[in-house]
Amino acid sequence: MRSATVDNNTLKVMDVPTPQPRENELLVKSLVCGVCGSDLHCLHHSHDLAEGTRQIVGQPLVDPDNPILLGHEFCGEVLEVNQKDSPFREGDTVVSLPFLLREEGVSFIGSGGASLPGGFSEQLLVDGRLTMKVPNGLDCNTAALTEPMAVAMHAVRKSEPTQNHVPLVVGCGPIGLAVIAVLKMMKIGPIVASDFSKARRDLAGQMGADVVVNPAEHSPYDSWKEAARTTDASLAGPVSPLLGGHDLKPSLIFECVGVPGLIQNVCAGAPFGARIVVVGLCMEKDNLIPAMPVLKELDLRFVSFYTPEEFGDTLRSLAEGELEASGLISDVVGMDQINSAFDRLAKPESDVKIMVQPWA
Ligand SMILES: [Zn+2]
């Protein structure tokens, strides 16, 4: 079967063996799979990714010296079930957390070798215990957004928002836009969002941001203050005798960029007592002057992935139409255009999510 494979920092469509489901696993046909920033990172920096994940989780998540089969944001159709008392039947449309819970350990779907295909393969294996049926006839492109939207759902829940918080989303790439959509669904606002790209600012507005800022022209932190100003002292957030805050609602800042210097930058702009959630995945060394968050009593939180419950809640919210995410999809292409899809996303102008149909 055909599979989009990273070989020597080149993306090629190769022929790989069709996998056999082990116990508790399902063989599914990949209907569609979204291209993620981490797929691009894996394509161009697989050695760094192997070394980085070896240091962080104790084992490299990729083997850069062999073909890597990408794709973890997929929606599929069940072809074969190898699970006792399985709730799944042939023909079910499903999404799954991108993990296989195997005896030898957990495998991540979308960074494995030739025996572990990802969503950019015609067929792949999923774990029946981490798989969910797509409800309400939700279309497969939107269903495939469950994974990236679940990242945003997790980030927002970890921020423990109240109706009184005023959020600032720094960076409106796929994850920043997804965070805006989740905040909108939860009716946390007004939402302030900033990005240097005009196309992304426009999208941020469409996804539900109330104030969009070009940081080249205007400080996002000043715009946040204007949005968070209150004359009602009972609504004020943390107050410092030195740094004030008595006229500002509490702030939630989502760092969705992930480049060196950003965390320090956000700490410098944040008001006293701000809660900062770092979602951007920076794989390089960074500098932070700790006195900044210390003296401002900033609450820095780092988040990644999601729980199975959050994944399921995200799928349900998408299917119920409460969570509006289809605006993230810029294009749907066939396998023969996967290289140009990766090229477009390497220097994105208006592209956010490009969905690839492995059978097309
Ligand atoms: Zn992803």
Side-chain angles (χ1 to χ4, degrees):
M1 64 165 185
R2 292 190 310 163
S3 175
T5 301
V6 175
D7 190 19
N8 259 325
N9 293 343
T10 315
L11 187 64
K12 301 171 185 164
V13 177
M14 288 171 47
D15 200 41
V16 302
T18 303
Q20 293 295 317
R22 298 191 195 174
E23 201 184 342
N24 290 315
E25 292 179 354
L26 319 173
L27 179 68
V28 303
K29 169 181 171 173
S30 178
L31 298 171
V32 68
C33 182
V35 181
C36 174
S38 67
D39 295 321
L40 273 84
H41 190 78
C42 188
L43 172 59
H44 299 292
H45 307 282
S46 57
H47 283 90
D48 294 351
L49 191 63
E51 180 52 23
T53 52
R54 191 188 62 75
Q55 287 179 18
I56 297 162
V57 296
Q59 63 178 75
L61 277 185
V62 293
D63 173 4
D65 299 318
N66 281 299
I68 303 165
L69 279 52
L70 296 178
H72 58 272
E73 303 179 357
F74 53 82
C75 173
E77 180 191 321
V78 175
L79 298 176
E80 195 183 324
V81 178
N82 188 12
Q83 185 185 24
K84 256 191 214 142
D85 305 319
S86 179
F88 302 105
R89 296 287 167 268
E90 225 183 283
D92 284 345
T93 305
V94 294
V95 292
S96 170
L97 278 78
F99 304 100
L100 294 176
L101 311 174
R102 289 182 161 174
E103 241 165 65
E104 67 270 25
V106 177
S107 299
F108 187 69
I109 300 170
S111 69
S115 62
L116 186 62
F120 301 126
S121 305
E122 288 178 329
Q123 297 175 25
L124 70 152
L125 300 176
V126 295
D127 197 306
R129 295 160 295 185
L130 298 175
T131 298
M132 300 163 195
K133 280 185 208 175
V134 174
N136 275 6
L138 181 67
D139 70 282
C140 60
N141 289 324
T142 309
L145 294 175
T146 303
E147 201 277 346
M149 294 308 295
V151 170
M153 179 76 85
H154 176 70
V156 173
R157 287 195 182 169
K158 280 282 198 177
S159 78
E160 297 177 87
T162 66
Q163 297 300 316
N164 194 31
H165 275 102
V166 177
L168 167 62
V169 179
V170 178
C172 299
I175 292 297
L177 292 170
V179 166
I180 291 169
V182 173
L183 289 166
K184 193 74 188 172
M185 176 184 73
M186 293 186 181
K187 300 188 168 61
I188 315 290
I191 302 167
V192 184
S194 79
D195 199 290
F196 287 100
S197 148
K198 161 99 171 70
R200 290 184 167 203
R201 288 197 303 277
D202 290 347
L203 266 167
Q206 287 167 33
M207 300 295 289
D210 300 286
V211 181
V212 285
V213 190
N214 178 358
E217 288 172 357
H218 197 75
S219 158
Y221 304 96
D222 288 346
S223 298
W224 176 85
K225 273 185 191 159
E226 287 157 31
R229 192 95 55 205
T230 179
T231 49
D232 181 347
S234 70
L235 297 180
V239 177
S240 150
L242 196 61
L243 296 161
H246 57 277
D247 60 345
L248 297 172
K249 290 184 173 184
S251 96
L252 281 182
I253 305 176
F254 294 88
E255 193 283 88
C256 303
V257 180
V259 300
L262 237 292
I263 296 176
Q264 173 70 25
N265 193 288
V266 170
C267 289
F272 178 79
R275 190 174 295 158
I276 299 167
V277 181
V278 180
V279 201
L281 189 58
C282 175
M283 297 289 285
E284 294 163 64
K285 277 219 171 81
D286 200 357
N287 281 310
L288 173 71
I289 301 167
M292 185 80 83
V294 169
L295 293 173
K296 287 185 167 185
E297 295 204 345
L298 300 178
D299 176 357
L300 266 169
R301 301 181 179 191
F302 297 84
V303 301
S304 65
F305 289 105
Y306 32 71
T307 63
E309 291 71 29
E310 287 165 340
F311 199 92
D313 290 348
T314 304
L315 175 62
R316 269 188 296 281
S317 301
L318 287 168
E320 296 290 332
E322 300 159 4
L323 180 56
E324 187 37 68
S326 49
L328 291 179
I329 299 176
S330 324
D331 206 353
V332 183
V333 303
M335 197 77 129
D336 53 338
Q337 287 167 285
I338 193 168
N339 265 298
S340 75
F342 273 62
D343 288 346
R344 281 162 64 184
L345 291 169
K347 0 176 206 342
E349 280 302 317
S350 52
D351 291 317
V352 182
K353 274 281 164 208
I354 300 181
M355 314 302 287
V356 179
Q357 295 174 326
W359 290 82

